Amino acid sequence: MRAQQLASGAKGVEDLKLVELPDPQPGPHQVKVRVRATSINYRDQAVAKGRYFGGALKQPQIPLSDGAGEVVAVGEGVTRFKIGDRAAGTFVQLWNDGAPPPFPQPALGAPPTVGTLAEYLVLHEDGFVHIPKSLSFEEAATLPCAGVTAWNALYGERQLKPGDTVLTLGTGGVSLLALQIARAGGARVIVTSSSDEKLERAKTLGAEIAINYASTPEWGQAVLDLTDGRGADFVVELGGTGTLGQSMTAVAQGGTIVLIGVLTGMDNAPSPHALMRKRATLRGLLVGNRGMFEDLNRAIDATGIKPVIDKVFPFEQAADAYRYQASAKLFGKVVITV
Ligand SMILES: NC(=O)c1ccc[n+]([C@@H]2O[C@H](COP(=O)([O-])OP(=O)(O)OC[C@H]3O[C@@H](n4cnc5c(N)ncnc54)[C@H](OP(=O)(O)O)[C@@H]3O)[C@@H](O)[C@H]2O)c1
């Protein structure tokens, strides 16, 4: 099969090369999927630079966690899939439901687990889900990391209620899916961005309040001012320690900040005592389990959510797709067809 592969010791996307590899064959309880589309997450940039958990790659790696395609072969004993089914792999392999397994777990697209940026993907049948009937392969390819993370933030523990206010940071992949899931669940949405033009686009997706975090550095106070002092019931915290202080200002009494992102880094966190005064919760999250992915897919079919795809690149231009994903132009998801 053809695959895009990061070299051992890769320092960046210039070390991503198109290679020919043996076709993987499904063993007992395994499923083989012909991948049709993949998508890139912020995390994949770290894998390519050798800065993901575990550091530099010690052997060649097919990257990317997210992809969707059709089942072309099933191994002995497979019961959950048949040839022709449309499927996507789960980011955390074999975390089907319940509490998370100990960290780190095998996750697609980083050692020790294969990635999706190849013509074929073979995994245990428990590591796949059926994708929504209402989505194309390109749209479904945006879900395994960004979609499940956004769903878990709003439904994984404390459940979103109609009328809640959700604050989500930036206009990248997780943020826009959180916006769409929150709107589908009857919530009011506040979105931040460094770009007024992107904020206008976010409003067309249903964001009610849009705040430019570059021109309004005290955006946490702005959230309070624009909600009659109440704040956000959920903060989808994608910025990391550089934004956490403002998120603690923005969160409502009894609200939840879901700690997801590291866009501004992980060091020098502000004092958490503002949470005490607000009786608020800081909840850590690492993507989610298969049951959450299945719930998300059911909700997508029922509500008509269409993930926002910014740009689609052909397989041969995968490196350009990485560069675009890391650029300031990004709005939503970047997809690579296979
Ligand atoms: N814990 C987990 O399981 C998990 C799962 C998924 C993602 N993540 C993390 O979540 C973050 C977002 O991931 P992603 O894949 O959605 O990223 P992405 O698509 O690359 O999002 C990039 C966007 O983030 C926004 N941004 C950058 N700096 C910001 C800041 N200081 N304040 C607010 N927004 C800022 C920018 O929006 P504007 O251009 O509009 O300013 C940028 O376009 C990353 O740190 C990623 O590692 C964690």
Side-chain angles (χ1 to χ4, degrees):
M1 68 171 179
R2 292 192 317 154
Q4 291 277 4
Q5 198 177 50
L6 287 164
S8 177
K11 295 219 162 29
V13 75
E14 59 280 6
D15 295 318
L16 186 69
K17 296 280 174 305
L18 191 54
V19 295
E20 282 283 345
L21 297 174
D23 259 19
Q25 299 304 329
H29 301 288
Q30 287 187 323
V31 169
K32 177 174 177 176
V33 163
R34 170 67 172 92
V35 180
R36 294 292 176 190
T38 64
S39 80
I40 308 180
N41 292 284
Y42 184 84
R43 166 254 200 189
D44 300 310
Q45 305 283 356
V47 174
K49 290 176 188 153
R51 292 193 200 144
Y52 195 58
F53 302 113
L57 295 172
K58 295 179 182 60
Q59 53 194 29
Q61 172 74 39
I62 298 173
L64 303 190
S65 58
D66 292 7
E70 65 219 335
V71 174
V72 290
V74 293
E76 195 186 328
V78 167
T79 57
R80 297 184 59 244
F81 291 90
K82 60 182 188 317
I83 290 172
D85 284 354
R86 295 172 357 120
T90 59
F91 181 94
V92 183
Q93 283 290 289
L94 309 184
W95 176 21
N96 295 344
D97 52 26
F103 181 84
Q105 308 101 17
L108 292 181
T113 312
V114 70
T116 59
L117 195 50
E119 286 175 323
Y120 295 104
L121 176 67
V122 171
L123 300 169
H124 191 283
E125 62 172 325
D126 283 347
F128 283 110
V129 298
H130 296 269
I131 61 175
K133 292 186 178 53
S134 55
L135 297 190
S136 64
F137 287 126
E138 284 83 0
E139 290 163 337
T142 67
L143 300 177
C145 178
V148 175
T149 297
W151 179 267
N152 185 355
L154 301 176
Y155 289 104
E157 284 185 11
R158 173 183 178 180
Q159 309 254 314
L160 183 82
K161 294 197 293 290
D164 279 347
T165 298
V166 174
L167 166 65
T168 185
L169 306 191
T171 57
V174 176
S175 187
L176 291 190
L177 279 154
L179 187 170
Q180 293 176 293
I181 291 166
R183 289 296 297 142
R188 302 173 67 195
V189 176
I190 305 172
V191 67
T192 67
S193 175
S194 56
S195 153
D196 289 339
E197 188 238 321
K198 292 184 191 179
L199 288 171
E200 286 309 312
R201 289 172 74 185
K203 281 187 185 172
T204 67
L205 294 170
E208 187 179 317
I209 297 173
I211 302 172
N212 188 317
Y213 65 81
S215 58
T216 312
E218 300 295 320
W219 47 267
Q221 184 58 45
V223 168
L224 293 179
D225 295 343
L226 292 163
T227 55
D228 298 325
R230 192 167 177 284
D233 301 288
F234 287 83
V235 182
V236 182
E237 189 10 288
L238 300 167
T241 48
T243 53
L244 187 56
Q246 291 299 312
S247 291
M248 288 195 284
T249 302
V251 73
Q253 289 284 337
T256 299
I257 300 174
V258 192
L259 189 62
I260 298 169
V262 295
L263 291 164
T264 62
M266 292 192 273
D267 301 325
N268 305 318
S271 162
H273 283 87
L275 297 172
M276 191 173 74
R277 289 192 295 276
K278 289 191 168 180
R279 289 76 110 194
T281 300
L282 183 63
R283 176 191 163 218
L285 172 161
L286 269 178
V287 190
N289 61 36
R290 194 182 82 200
M292 294 173 190
F293 199 168
E294 289 164 340
D295 287 349
L296 166 66
N297 292 345
R298 199 172 66 140
I300 284 173
D301 273 338
T303 61
I305 289 173
K306 296 278 183 197
V308 178
I309 296 175
D310 183 333
K311 204 162 173 176
V312 180
F313 289 80
F315 190 59
E316 295 72 16
Q317 291 170 23
D320 291 335
Y322 272 75
R323 291 185 191 101
Y324 184 85
Q325 200 276 341
S327 76
K329 294 181 192 149
L330 179 73
F331 185 82
K333 297 296 299 182
V334 173
V335 165
I336 304 168
T337 53
V338 182

